[in-house]
Amino acid sequence: MHPSASSPANSEDHKLWFRFLLCCFTLICGFRIFLVEKFGAPIAWGDDLDGTAFRILAPLRDGSFTWPLLFKAHNGDHVIAATRLWEMLWFKINGEWDPKLVMFVKTPIYAAAMTIFLHLFTRGLEHGRFLAAGILAALFAFPFNYQNLLWAFQSQFDFFFLAAALGWLALLNGRPILALICAAIAPFTLGAGPIVAVSYVPFFAAAVYNKSWTWRKAGVFGMIAIAIAAYGASLPTPDAMPRTGTWGDRIATLFKLYAWPYSNLLSAVERLPESSNLIPRPLLNFPSAETSWMLAFARQMDHHPILPVVMNLLTAILFVAPMAVVAILVARKQIPLRVVRGPLNISVFAGCMLGATAIARTDQPTIGMRFLDHVMLAGLASITACFVLWACHRRSRPWLAMWGLVLGLGYLATVGATLSQIINRRRPQISLEILQRYYVANDHAVLRENDNFRHFITGDDPTEFMAMLDEPSLRPVLPRAITAPGTGRGLAATVASGVGQMGLLIALGGVGGAAWIARRARRVRIYPPSNLVPATPA
């Protein structure tokens, strides 16, 4: 970070900011390991069995493992070498496979990635920088879906975001070679890995436009980035999941992703009465069960399919408006580019991710849940833009307050719904209990008759899932919590569980430390008056 550009004014400010970020990391990590300990379970299901246990850990245990297995595309779509190496490491350290242990140890990876994004979002802000960073840290700490948190296999998302965060940190600090190295690693974390390199190209073009790079330099780095992206795109095999849906469906899905969290709420209303269990009864029956406004609205959406698309489009425009306004003010030189380089570039990266997700996963009903980590980045970039506008464009403050209220209510509703799912559904624990009964009784009916296994991975027919469970080579690898409950866990898993029990205290320590450091920090604006137009009187 260059002190003359967007970093704190002196070494003391550097130290305070670093310590504050460390406290934010502690908050994010502590709260999430608390949730893992409280609501997670050493459960192996779906992709865990096929992608980790059957294809990697079983060969590793019986001595037939070969390195090409590490880079074989999972489902023909994702080369998840980072996730597989991570699972192998903790399999060896713990002495047995324990998915809940992996849930614990992947949490610092997520926390590190989001802390870096937090720094990139807010480092250009001096006035209100600590407040903005604290709010964003709290949003990063709360899960907006339970699947990525309470599913060990989803460490692929954590590694992907860490590669992206490190790459953008390097790029925005004038180290493009290091950024390209991170981009080259990203395709081995997740199928969307090539997006990291793709998202660099607009940055290179902007560097030429701003005359900070020459055409030659931008061309060379741009071609390398495109080559990395092309190589990553070539990794999926012919048996990868086909891209379905029309371009109209994909555009509608893009609107839905940008309109989150309200698109999730709208989809629940759209699916009424099937989704009535997701909506509080007093709200569903308002003003009465016979004249429910919500049910009437659901019927209108059923009769006019374009209606939810238009509503998602309008909501998406509302949510990206602050970032669009900031971009316009930067183009008009009313806000220095150095102040908003981070959120502008990360919003481009998030936009690339949303576009790729809309193309690749149009027909997935869980698209609004499983991909919220990068959907959230777009929303948090707009929140950061609001802090910038609040500081230097007073005329927009009443609109910003209304915008924050609208978005805040949606976020609160989504967080509340997610926590309710985590607390009330207890899906990992219930799944563990079902698998324990299955191995005791050795009866397929235990799985076939339970709706808990009828989800997007196993489908309505769990036959293939049961066949994996019955594989002779797989049973010795399965967690003892499933095959031999009550026999204890490995040492590493036991230690991780002990740390998880203190997770809430760790998170509170991070909050307290951040508040203490914020009080010590000097509240000095770094914007010289010559760099901004005079603030419009309130």
Side-chain angles (χ1 to χ4, degrees), residues 514-529:
W516 180 75
I517 292 169
R519 287 191 61 185
R520 286 194 56 196
R522 295 182 303 167
R523 299 168 182 253
V524 179
R525 295 172 75 110
I526 64 168
Y527 313 137

Side-chain angles (χ1 to χ4, degrees), residues 475-494:
R475 180 152 186 164
V477 177
L478 289 174
R480 280 188 293 170
I482 295 175
T483 58
T487 58
R489 301 170 65 190
L491 177 60
T494 303

Side-chain angles (χ1 to χ4, degrees), residues 457-518:
I457 290 177
T458 62
D460 291 332
D461 182 7
T463 303
E464 185 178 352
F465 178 76
M466 293 185 293
M468 280 193 293
L469 290 178
D470 293 337
E471 277 286 337
S473 63
L474 188 61
R475 180 152 186 164
V477 177
L478 289 174
R480 280 188 293 170
I482 295 175
T483 58
T487 58
R489 301 170 65 190
L491 177 60
T494 303
V495 171
S497 180
V499 175
Q501 292 172 7
M502 298 185 293
L504 198 55
L505 290 177
I506 294 172
L508 291 174
V511 172
W516 180 75
I517 292 169

Side-chain angles (χ1 to χ4, degrees), residues 168 171-172 199-215 218-219 222 330 333 337 341 344-345 348:
W168 274 105
L171 195 58
L172 292 174
S199 68
Y200 291 170
V201 176
F203 175 89
F204 299 150
V208 174
Y209 176 79
N210 294 325
K211 299 181 180 179
S212 56
W213 280 27
T214 64
W215 276 105
V330 169
K333 301 188 183 304
L337 176 60
R341 287 180 75 206
L344 275 175
N345 284 287
V348 171

Side-chain angles (χ1 to χ4, degrees), residues 94-313:
N94 192 50
E96 65 173 3
W97 185 35
D98 193 312
K100 189 173 181 179
L101 168 63
V102 180
M103 295 177 206
F104 280 118
V105 296
K106 76 185 182 74
T107 297
I109 301 170
Y110 172 88
M114 297 309 153
T115 303
I116 294 172
F117 280 128
L118 179 69
H119 169 64
L120 296 177
F121 277 137
T122 59
R123 69 176 186 171
L125 293 168
E126 283 295 308
H127 186 73
R129 179 162 55 109
F130 288 90
L131 175 62
I135 291 174
L136 296 182
L139 291 173
F140 278 129
F142 279 87
F144 290 100
N145 68 86
Y146 71 91
Q147 292 175 342
N148 288 355
L149 174 71
L150 300 180
W151 191 359
F153 187 75
Q154 297 298 76
S155 64
Q156 53 191 301
F157 280 93
D158 304 318
F159 283 110
F160 168 73
F161 282 116
L162 182 61
L166 289 172
W168 274 105
L169 180 66
L171 195 58
L172 292 174
N173 282 281
R175 296 178 174 85
I177 295 176
L178 183 57
L180 288 173
I181 292 173
C182 294
I185 294 173
F188 299 100
T189 63
L190 187 67
I195 296 298
V196 177
V198 171
S199 68
Y200 291 170
V201 176
F203 175 89
F204 299 150
V208 174
Y209 176 79
N210 294 325
K211 299 181 180 179
S212 56
W213 280 27
T214 64
W215 276 105
R216 182 177 179 180
K217 180 178 179 181
V220 170
F221 281 108
M223 286 189 293
I224 296 173
I226 292 172
I228 291 172
Y231 174 72
S234 71
L235 292 176
T237 58
D239 60 336
M241 292 178 61
R243 304 291 182 252
T244 58
T246 66
W247 278 104
D249 296 332
R250 293 165 182 170
I251 292 172
T253 302
L254 182 63
F255 295 160
K256 182 188 295 185
L257 292 172
Y258 264 112
W260 181 86
Y262 282 98
S263 57
N264 262 20
L265 303 177
L266 183 65
S267 67
V269 177
E270 187 180 3
R271 289 181 286 116
L272 284 172
E274 291 80 6
S275 59
S276 58
N277 63 314
L278 302 176
I279 301 173
R281 189 63 54 182
L283 185 61
L284 179 63
N285 293 334
F286 181 82
S288 68
E290 293 75 20
T291 59
S292 168
W293 292 357
M294 195 169 290
L295 287 172
F297 185 46
R299 287 192 292 270
Q300 288 296 319
M301 286 192 287
D302 184 53
H303 293 152
H304 307 284
I306 193 64
L307 186 59
V309 177
V310 172
M311 294 189 68
N312 282 333
L313 171 61

Side-chain angles (χ1 to χ4, degrees), residues 322-338:
M323 184 57 68
V325 172
V326 164
I328 293 171
L329 293 177
V330 169
R332 296 171 60 181
K333 301 188 183 304
Q334 295 182 4
I335 296 178
L337 176 60
R338 61 181 172 79

